[in-house]
Amino acid sequence: MQLLQEHKAFSKVLSKMIAQSWCDPTFKKEFINNPESKLAAAGVMIPENVKLQLEPSACGNLKIEQIFNELSNSLAFIYKVPLATKAGDVAGENLTAFAGGEMMQAPVGCCS
């Protein structure tokens, strides 16, 4: 699926990966080191003009920056992805269920 055309699907997959990174330190390390391969394994292909910038200590919402390249006369996008650790009051079993796709919304208390 094309990332920019399927932003809603991308957001859902990315949210699950963020929650999984809170629950699984090994997954978090792998996700930080190679987010493109993790997303590709989940069926999300990232176009060449999109770069992911994972921010391990940032909290909040996904931010998208547009950059115009005058040499190639094209737009590029930087997706800034916050990966802050889970809030202390969020139950681990709720995060595990969310990361596994059993919950539709992020658990209450995340990054609040």
Side-chain angles (χ1 to χ4, degrees), residues 92-104:
E93 61 273 8
N94 286 341
L95 287 174
T96 302
F98 181 71
E102 297 172 22
M103 296 176 71
M104 291 304 294

Side-chain angles (χ1 to χ4, degrees), residues 9-28:
F10 168 71
S11 294
K12 185 176 179 179
V13 170
L14 183 62
S15 295
K16 289 178 183 179
M17 289 188 174
I18 291 170
Q20 187 173 352
S21 74
W22 293 340
C23 302
D24 183 347
T26 302
F27 177 86
K28 183 175 184 175

Side-chain angles (χ1 to χ4, degrees), residues 15 37 41 43 53 57 75-76 78 87-88 90 105:
S15 295
S37 71
Q53 182 178 348
S57 61
L75 276 176
I78 299 174
V90 177
Q105 296 181 348

